[in-house]
């Protein structure tokens, strides 16, 4: 048992840390956020140059061959800077799914392009009526000529508005909630039959509602067998979200601590008031829990499916629960300043709370955990 | 002991309901219920309707045009207004500065200011908080120096709600820099058109422009705009802050929100069933429901004590804390009900004239802005921490 | 709307208040608690002399004709003194059920004896497998000669160990969880066929497990129709428990407030520490909620069954939730002293927590409330 | 980064398990699991078994007979002991006074006291808290006046756990009444048989006799019983209080309790179904489970940091707070599982030789005593409020 980062992991951490520190001050981030695209393509190119876009991929494609801990290190750093670029959408959710399912030539083409920063992707998995259930897929794909055509609607597709290509989950067999019969496809975002309604999200990211109307699509891997790979990619996504939340919670705690040390009322810093001290301690305790569960999640990806599922559900649930407390207390202890758009902490709070709405919220993951309550890890 | 309304009280409630049925513009109520933006004109339109009926000034004595209502009547009126989706009457004129003028002002001041407040012809805002003086209100630094027949005001106020629309502002200013903290403060009325005043918008985390900073740079204010005595403004300030606030518990708002939440949760589907049938969601709804019943009864106890002639004091701090926490909890449940659709942020959909397509279920468009906006409830109007300090001191003697 | 007590109610409050203040100091109560009976028969006689045993009964039997508010006033006063005597068991649960169901002659005999302090009763309703469900009745009654014989087991019968007579709920028709087919009987506690295992409860009261083996019984009222009356009596019991809890919570808060004002650490009273001040404020807030809900419950007994059920469920649930907080915080803020049997507050804490285990706990009553969530009071 | 045990660590765990399988008396483990009373003789019997194996002193250096284990090994050992239902080793001798003697004591003192502690021949208790000095430990008043070759001790200690069985007590006493608070305190070892010592039982709210008051009335203590320097006892006190406590999180205890709770909830019936299928109860179980996972990982991070040579400091305060709150929460769920049967109080059923009938389900007999007894966890050993003060000061710099 050893919680220390390896030398390579530490280097990765330093790379991301430096990038965020130097390249991502609040005003620069705000400029990118309020741009039409909602993030910076220059920054994306920097990610590529630093090798960050290759973290989870094989060295064959110029990648880093990283697993859970490596993605954790990257996402935690991104969380500290509230990074806006579509790393989760492109690299983690779409990229790894292509990596798990794609043919050698698909990988050769697409993964290399991802690693090189030449293409941005989005995973179109969830649907308007399906909430957080990734098996709720009513969208269908049918063979047509060499390829397929897809029909259906996809909901709140993270960075779906600016993606060059979409990885779409569609049904080639079975009915709406079946685990079997799901397939993954690559769809060109500019193709006929793809219509997108893009919008900003409350936490400053972008997403899109996507309608597919006989949209031409290229199958990834085998037909009907995408579920295991999809769940592996979503698991990576959950690790990344937990880590991002931990990073953001850390900064929210730091900002709040600094604020109560500096803000004077009644002639003393408000951090001298014991009631606020104890609440600050409780915030930090929530942060420690979030960090612990992020590590647990990051180190559980290679375990058996039920053990992995149980730990990830618990991790994401803790993030939802602890994140809410940290976000709300960060605002409250900042007083009126915490309500202001010009105060960085309000953006941290928004991102932390919205992470609970991505890839399953507290309620969803507690239900998963409840269904696995009797699982004995030692036996599994 | 009887917790039910008397026949007279029920008759009064019917009268209020009839009025609201007839006079509350449907399009305004619809905006309130859909969390759409209310314009200044909506608020003024409604307030003028109230004034026509003589129901604008709940807390004024009858002689000045107030309703002369009992605490229970005020409570009934506010409950029903919330239930019907009437816009909140802006408190800055009618419920804040006016009572101070009535209590401490000259006859001349009463004649000058009260009628236009009653008829909503003048929009008031509040100049209390300063960047360095929030919870510690008496730490304010904005100063007014007497020069002949006017004061010269310099300084800055902040968190000035809806100051962007305001014609007048009432301000606490320091008139004696050498006096101890709470002494040497005066209460001034200032025309926002006076040269030297700048209003800078503050955008809140939900993207809204509700509050402002107001800067005073050599602003000349006639001495007749002083309310009460010079250097005795703290008396006015305290009077205003502790002024009876029957609505502080927000029971009506929470009831309306909970009702809406139940409707929504009955429609949203999860795993092929309405969300309201999800055991955990239902449990949290039940928890809110029972907390709301407790809040309502606690509020009624306070109202009844006021009716019996008691002076509501620090008890209203309990109501502030319980009421705001509950309203915030309901916004949390709304965002959970929206699921992934809590994320989209489309400010254009908050406008009543928006006729485009929505993203996700209709109710979802405002859940997150509301959730974040409502964080203010526990901060502004005396933060909940300050309320606890008040209770600890005034009720518990700690 | 008027929350003031009537003159009669205020007199009742004063009577109970004086009795508890003068006759129930902590050491006297401890002496009674540790006696074999677990309470004082002299005190019981005083109750009779003061007319307290007649509060809910008609003036014909020497009663006071009181309703919910009157019982609230009495129970709140008893809660302040942690009264040990079997008032709930005898007067409220058993007495009112006899009053609702009994024939004129049964009432004449039994109610008069209750009011006069000549007889103590216990309600044997719940069963070992039934938890808080009063419809779970497997105990059966069969006709035998002029009367009936009863067979079955009854669980945690409050003050069943010292009761002279038992009011037993038994089934004359239907199966275990049916609402119909329940009947109420009077059983002599010393009769053949009645065996009792008495014991103390953690909060210093007494109860018993009761086995009925062909125990001779006298029917109250009609056969098979006891459910409505039983639920009315249980509703009165819930009002009394809510009020008792409110009274006990009030004293727990008062003791805690006094303690933190007096206890010196680091050279100042610990009540000067803001973190403790805020927690004390939160305790008081819970007390206010409990009081409010007690009033609501007490004033809802005459309403339609579903409205009454909803309000009582909410009230008892709030008592369970707020009571736990007050009890735990009272101990915590007392520090080590709160853990001591010789400190009165520990007994208040125990009683408050155990009230949650009588007539349905937080979980049970929230389930009731959930089942009535859609009820519109104005329409009902 | 690897959160799994290494092969060596797994082999060590197997060794521990084999030892527990073979040597832990079944009847003792059964008492622990059933929450029955453990007698002094049970504890001593187990501790002597541990000592035979050389596993009694986890935290001592090898040269004095300690295990010399790494933090991870200690953690594994404590986890397994909890899982198997081994009695808690009494900390007062081996984990409290002994490290102080090893660090500050003379060679003579080491020779005199350590062997009998290792072999559990002498039962120690703690004389720290006083009626007026709980959280404010340095406010203690018990004084020791040097007279020739002994000190004369007068005063009172309280919350002395299991002092009724103790042969010796280690005490903080004031030797210089004029010095500032934390100066002028000394660390004394006192034979409980010395004339002038009276032990008075304190009965806790669950009816148990665990703690005591100890009165000192002109008690003569030889000067060679002073550990460290006179008036420098605060150094010993602090060392003892911050001494590495790998077990402070109580993860093993919580795991064993949660496992038991799940079994129980699988058996208890509610509405014809096992309680564990009740959505709300199951939700609370899941909540405890995930909090326990978070606690365990946080604990492991601290253990690993210690393994890597870090000195665990105020982090253990986090573990104390999180761990005790969780253990208390589990006792709350146990009483809910028992339903109405949480009420009966039958102390005779806590004895292992009780062979009468139980009241209600077997597990129910101790749920309420345990729930109330466990309130002590957040009070004793530095109340959770004090832990928060420590974190605020040491980690947050407030």
């Amino acid at each position: 048992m050893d919680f220390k980062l390896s030398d390579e992991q530490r280097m990765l951490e330093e790379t991301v840390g430096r990038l965020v520190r130097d390249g991502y001050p609040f005003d620069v981030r705000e400029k990118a956020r309020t741009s039409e695209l909602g993030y910076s393509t220059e920054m994306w190119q920097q990610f590529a140059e630093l090798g960050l876009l290759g973290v989870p991929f094989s060295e064959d494609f110029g990648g880093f061959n990283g697993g859970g801990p490596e993605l954790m290190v990257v996402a935690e750093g991104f969380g500290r800077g509230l990074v806006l670029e579509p790393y989760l959408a492109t690299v983690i959710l779409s990229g790894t799914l292509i990596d798990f399912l794609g043919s050698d030539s698909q990988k050769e083409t697409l993964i290399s392009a991802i690693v090189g920063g030449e293409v941005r992707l989005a995973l179109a998995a969830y649907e308007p009526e399906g909430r957080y259930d990734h098996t709720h897929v009513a969208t269908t794909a049918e063979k047509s000529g060499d390829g397929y055509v897809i029909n259906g609607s996809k909901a709140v597709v993270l960075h779906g508005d600016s993606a060059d290509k979409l990885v779409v989950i569609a049904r080639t067999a079975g009915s709406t909630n079946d685990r079997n019969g799901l397939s993954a496809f690559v769809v060109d975002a500019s193709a006929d039959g793809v219509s997108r309604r893009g919008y900003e999200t409350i936490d400053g990211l972008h997403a899109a509602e996507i309608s597919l109307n006989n949209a031409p699509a290229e199958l990834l891997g085998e037909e009907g067998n995408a579920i295991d790979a999809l769940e592996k990619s979503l698991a990576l996504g959950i690790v990344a979200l937990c880590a991002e939340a931990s990073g953001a919670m850390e900064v929210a705690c730091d900002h709040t601590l600094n604020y109560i040390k500096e803000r004077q009322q009644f002639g003393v810093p408000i951090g001298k008031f014991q009631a606020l001290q104890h609440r600050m301690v409780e915030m930090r305790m929530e942060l420690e829990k979030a960090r612990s569960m992020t590590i647990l999640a990051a180190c559980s990806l290679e375990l058996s499916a039920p053990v992995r599922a149980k730990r990830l559900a618990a991790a994401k649930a803790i993030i939802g629960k602890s994140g809410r407390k940290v976000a709300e207390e960060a605002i409250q202890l900042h007083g009126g300043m915490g309500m202001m758009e010009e105060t960085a902490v309000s953006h941290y709070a928004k991102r932390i709370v919205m992470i609970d709405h991505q890839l399953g919220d507290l309620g969803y993951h507690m239900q998963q955990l409840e269904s696995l309550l009797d699982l004995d890890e030692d036996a599994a | 002991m009887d917790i039910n309304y008397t026949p007279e009280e029920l008759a009064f409630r019917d009268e209020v309901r009839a009025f609201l049925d007839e006079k509350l513009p449907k399009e305004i109520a619809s905006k309130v219920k859909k969390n759409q933006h209310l314009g200044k004109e909506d608020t003024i339109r409604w307030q003028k309707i109230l004034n026509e009926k003589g129901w604008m000034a709940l807390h004024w004595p009858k002689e000045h045009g107030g309703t002369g209502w009992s605490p229970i009547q005020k409570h009934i009126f506010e409950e029903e207004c919330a239930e019907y989706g009437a816009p909140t009457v802006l408190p800055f004129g009618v419920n804040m500065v006016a009572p101070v003028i009535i209590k401490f002002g000259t006859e001349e001041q009463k004649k000058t200011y009260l009628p236009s407040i009653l008829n909503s012809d003048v929009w008031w805002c509040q100049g209390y908080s300063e960047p360095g003086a929030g919870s510690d209100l008496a730490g304010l630094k904005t100063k007014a120096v007497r020069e002949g027949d006017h004061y010269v005001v310099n300084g800055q106020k902040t968190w000035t709600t809806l100051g962007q629309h305001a014609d007048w502002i009432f301000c606490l200013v320091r008139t004696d820099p050498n006096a101890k903290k709470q002494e040497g403060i005066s209460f001034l009325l200032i025309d926002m058109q006076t040269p030297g005043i700048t209003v800078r918008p503050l955008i809140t985390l939900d993207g809204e422009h509700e509050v402002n900073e107001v800067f005073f740079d050599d602003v000349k204010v006639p001495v007749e705009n002083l309310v009460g005595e010079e250097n005795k403004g703290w008396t006015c300030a305290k009077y205003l802050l502790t002024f009876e606030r029957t609505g502080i518990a927000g029971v009506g708002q929470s009831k309306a929100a909970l009702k809406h939440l139940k409707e929504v949760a009955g429609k949203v589907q999860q795993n092929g069933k309405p969300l309201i049938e999800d055991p955990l969601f239902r449990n949290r709804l039940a928890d809110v429901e029972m907390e709301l019943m407790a809040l309502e009864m606690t509020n009624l106890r306070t109202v009844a004590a006021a009716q019996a002639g008691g002076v509501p004091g620090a008890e209203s701090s309990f109501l502030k804390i319980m009421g705001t926490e509950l309203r915030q909890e309901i916004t949390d449940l709304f965002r959970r009900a929206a699921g992934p659709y809590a994320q989209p942020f489309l400010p254009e959909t908050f406008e009543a004239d928006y006729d485009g397509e929505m993203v996700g279920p209709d109710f979802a468009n405002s859940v997150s802005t509301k959730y974040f906006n409502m964080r203010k409830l526990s901060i502004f109007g005396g933060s909940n921490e300050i309320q606890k300090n008040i209770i600890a001191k005034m009720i518990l003697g700690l």
Side-chain angles (χ1 to χ4, degrees), chain A, chain B:
Chain A
M1 194 182 67
D2 183 5
F3 286 77
K4 284 195 302 295
L5 296 178
S6 69
D7 289 344
E8 280 196 320
Q9 290 163 347
R10 191 160 328 107
M11 275 176 55
L12 191 58
E13 188 181 44
E14 278 164 22
T15 303
V16 175
R18 201 174 319 115
L19 176 71
V20 164
R21 221 168 25 251
D22 300 343
Y24 237 85
F26 184 57
D27 55 335
V28 173
R29 189 235 181 217
E30 280 299 276
K31 217 179 130 199
R33 178 179 75 80
T34 50
S35 70
E36 208 193 319
L37 187 63
Y39 57 86
S40 152
T41 48
E42 290 78 26
M43 185 54 68
W44 192 250
Q45 287 314 314
Q46 257 190 281
F47 287 7
E49 281 156 31
L50 292 167
L52 296 177
L53 300 179
V55 168
F57 306 118
S58 144
E59 285 146 13
D60 300 346
F61 308 116
F64 189 89
N65 229 345
E70 287 73 21
L71 284 178
M72 174 181 81
V73 158
V74 173
E76 208 165 82
F78 283 175
R80 290 193 188 99
L82 291 186
V83 162
L84 297 159
E85 283 68 25
Y87 191 87
L88 177 63
T90 300
V91 176
I92 302 183
L93 295 175
S94 306
T96 65
L97 193 52
I98 292 167
D99 196 28
F100 296 144
L101 289 176
S103 66
D104 287 348
S105 80
Q106 285 171 326
K107 289 203 262 190
E108 183 60 50
T109 318
L110 288 166
I111 306 279
S112 301
I114 290 173
V115 175
E118 295 143 30
V119 66
R120 282 161 280 152
L121 290 86
L123 176 66
Y126 299 96
E127 303 201 348
E129 302 293 318
R131 288 176 75 84
Y132 301 112
D133 182 359
H134 58 272
T135 67
H136 181 108
V137 176
T139 297
T140 54
E142 283 173 25
K143 276 219 167 115
S144 166
D146 283 353
Y148 288 77
V149 289
I150 299 188
N151 284 286
S153 298
K154 294 293 177 176
V156 201
V157 176
L158 183 64
H159 286 117
D161 58 335
S162 62
D164 304 305
K165 289 179 188 295
L166 306 170
V167 175
V168 178
I169 306 299
R171 191 165 284 290
T172 43
S175 58
T176 305
N177 288 290
D178 286 351
R179 290 177 60 78
N180 293 322
L182 296 182
S183 307
F185 299 87
V186 178
V187 174
D188 203 289
S190 57
D192 278 351
V194 176
S195 63
R196 302 190 274 183
R197 176 174 183 191
Y199 45 80
E200 226 189 310
T201 57
I202 184 80
D203 51 347
L205 300 178
H206 278 240
E209 300 298 291
I210 297 182
S211 295
L212 302 149
N213 190 3
N214 285 324
E218 178 186 337
L219 180 67
L220 282 168
E222 278 178 67
E223 208 187 88
N225 261 333
I227 186 73
D228 290 345
L230 175 63
E231 289 183 347
K232 274 169 73 182
S233 291
L234 294 176
L236 286 167
I238 287 174
V239 167
L241 284 175
C242 289
E244 187 187 346
S246 292
M249 284 163 74
E250 179 189 312
V251 176
C253 285
D254 288 350
H255 282 207
T256 306
L257 180 59
N258 289 339
Y259 184 80
I260 68 171
K261 281 181 180 174
E262 280 163 21
R263 169 75 173 167
Q264 303 261 335
Q265 292 280 273
F266 305 104
V268 291
I270 60 174
K272 287 287 166 206
F273 294 112
Q274 198 195 31
L276 300 195
Q277 291 182 349
H278 283 199
R279 286 165 66 177
M280 190 71 232
V281 167
E282 282 152 21
M283 282 175 74
R284 281 295 293 264
M285 207 143 56
E286 298 303 328
L287 171 61
E288 293 304 327
K289 285 191 220 166
R291 281 177 170 159
S292 293
M293 293 305 278
T294 298
I295 295 171
L296 181 68
C299 294
S300 300
L301 292 170
E302 308 305 321
L303 303 175
S304 72
V307 175
R308 183 188 74 190
K310 182 172 182 178
R311 291 185 176 184
L312 285 169
K316 189 69 168 56
I318 287 274
I319 291 291
K321 186 179 167 188
S322 299
R324 178 186 175 192
K325 286 188 204 160
V326 167
E328 292 185 353
E329 286 290 84
I331 293 174
Q332 184 70 24
L333 295 192
H334 269 82
M337 290 310 295
M339 291 294 299
M340 292 298 114
E341 195 177 59
E342 66 188 44
T343 309
V345 82
S346 73
H347 297 262
Y348 284 90
K350 286 193 283 184
R351 180 67 192 131
I352 294 164
V353 172
M354 282 305 116
I355 282 177
D356 192 35
H357 290 277
Q358 296 187 326
L359 308 187
D361 70 354
L362 173 60
Y364 175 83
H365 283 291
M366 284 205 72
Q367 274 175 359
Q368 304 305 306
L369 183 59
E370 283 169 37
S371 70
L372 293 162
L373 206 57
D374 308 317
L375 181 76
D376 182 348
E377 284 208 10
D378 293 333
Chain B
M1 167 167 274
D2 185 359
I3 62 169
N4 300 303
Y5 288 131
T6 61
E8 294 73 32
E9 288 159 354
L10 287 173
F12 175 75
R13 191 174 70 180
D14 289 340
E15 190 187 347
V16 172
R17 288 180 176 177
F19 166 73
L20 290 165
D21 277 329
E22 188 188 349
K23 298 288 189 181
L24 174 62
K26 299 286 171 283
E27 60 277 23
I28 292 183
S30 158
K31 288 186 191 181
V32 170
K33 290 193 172 174
K34 291 183 183 163
N35 285 316
Q36 289 169 337
H37 278 158
L38 276 189
K40 178 179 178 177
E41 61 292 351
D42 292 319
T43 302
I44 291 179
R45 182 173 162 207
W46 172 236
Q47 292 187 174
K48 281 184 183 283
I49 292 170
L50 283 176
N51 191 40
E52 264 170 42
K53 178 78 177 174
W55 287 1
M56 176 64 189
L58 265 58
H59 306 301
W60 300 11
K62 256 195 146 150
E63 68 212 78
H64 292 292
T67 57
W69 282 342
S70 72
I72 292 180
Q73 286 177 304
K74 294 178 196 174
H75 170 77
I76 290 171
F77 178 73
E78 289 179 338
E79 282 266 283
E80 295 301 319
C81 283
E83 174 95 24
Y84 273 76
T88 310
V89 166
L90 282 182
F92 310 106
V94 68
N95 294 334
M96 298 178 98
V97 72
V100 170
I101 291 172
I102 291 171
K103 174 97 172 173
F104 300 100
T106 61
E107 282 313 308
E108 189 57 33
Q109 286 172 334
K110 291 179 199 169
K111 263 188 244 159
T112 309
Y113 299 107
L114 297 184
S116 62
I117 289 175
L118 261 189
N119 202 36
S120 304
D121 294 329
V122 170
W123 186 290
W124 283 83
C125 67
Q126 166 171 305
Y128 265 40
S129 296
E130 298 186 4
S135 296
D136 181 15
L137 186 57
L140 61 92
K141 293 209 173 68
T142 296
K143 63 180 176 188
V145 179
R146 173 100 186 234
E147 289 184 9
D149 59 356
H150 58 261
Y151 292 99
V152 178
V153 179
N154 279 286
Q156 182 195 345
K157 294 290 174 182
T158 193
W159 316 133
T160 308
T161 302
L162 299 177
Q164 70 267 38
H165 303 313
D167 305 302
W168 282 74
I169 184 170
F170 57 92
C171 275
L172 291 179
V173 294
R174 192 163 294 288
T175 36
D176 181 353
N178 302 316
K180 273 199 291 179
K181 239 177 155 184
Q182 285 151 13
E183 294 153 31
I185 289 174
S186 299
F187 192 99
L188 278 188
L189 311 179
I190 305 179
D191 185 337
M192 292 289 278
Q193 296 303 319
T194 323
I197 296 182
T198 320
V199 177
R200 188 178 88 92
L202 290 170
I203 304 303
T204 45
L205 78 176
D206 54 335
E208 291 294 321
H209 175 201
E210 276 182 2
V211 287
N212 302 271
E213 294 179 302
V214 183
F215 297 88
F216 298 86
D217 182 19
D218 283 337
V219 174
K220 282 177 142 188
V221 180
V223 291
E224 58 263 32
N225 290 12
L226 174 74
V227 182
E229 289 178 55
E230 193 178 274
N231 297 332
K232 300 280 187 212
W234 192 248
T235 316
C236 303
K238 275 198 307 187
Y239 179 73
L240 188 155
L241 285 175
T242 59
F243 194 77
E244 185 185 343
R245 288 169 294 174
T246 44
I248 198 170
V251 172
Q253 284 87 339
S254 283
K255 275 185 163 178
L258 180 58
K259 195 175 164 191
H260 186 203
L261 178 60
K262 284 184 192 172
E263 287 164 13
V264 158
K267 284 183 199 153
V268 171
Q269 297 288 309
Q270 178 185 277
N271 304 331
K273 276 186 296 194
L275 180 63
I276 201 168
E277 291 176 21
D278 174 270
L280 297 183
F281 198 86
R282 196 169 179 86
N283 182 254
R284 284 191 63 189
L285 280 177
D287 191 63
V288 166
E289 176 122 355
M290 75 194 199
E291 291 288 344
L292 182 51
M293 287 163 87
L295 174 65
E296 182 177 16
M297 283 302 290
T298 308
N299 191 40
L300 288 175
R301 285 167 59 206
T302 313
V303 170
Q307 181 88 351
V311 179
E315 285 75 18
S316 65
S317 293
F318 278 125
L319 296 174
K320 160 98 198 313
I321 299 169
M322 290 161 67
T324 55
E325 288 181 352
L326 201 53
R327 287 177 71 184
Q328 291 176 335
E329 180 72 5
I330 293 172
T331 66
D332 183 71
L333 287 174
F334 264 109
R335 75 168 169 87
R336 290 177 197 281
Y341 281 114
Q343 298 173 78
F345 175 60
L346 298 111
E348 64 272 23
T349 62
F350 304 153
E351 303 303 333
D353 58 6
Y354 175 75
D355 59 359
E357 229 182 300
M358 302 297 264
V359 169
D362 280 4
F363 77 93
N365 70 324
S366 60
V367 292
S368 288
T369 48
K370 189 101 180 173
Y371 166 81
F372 287 111
N373 182 277
M374 286 292 125
R375 305 311 311 161
K376 74 185 176 193
L377 292 181
S378 49
I379 295 173
F380 294 141
S383 73
N384 285 11
E385 290 77 26
I386 291 290
Q387 305 299 335
K388 286 182 187 171
N389 289 348
I390 292 171
I391 296 168
K393 190 172 169 193
M394 307 298 286
I395 299 186
L396 304 181
L398 288 169

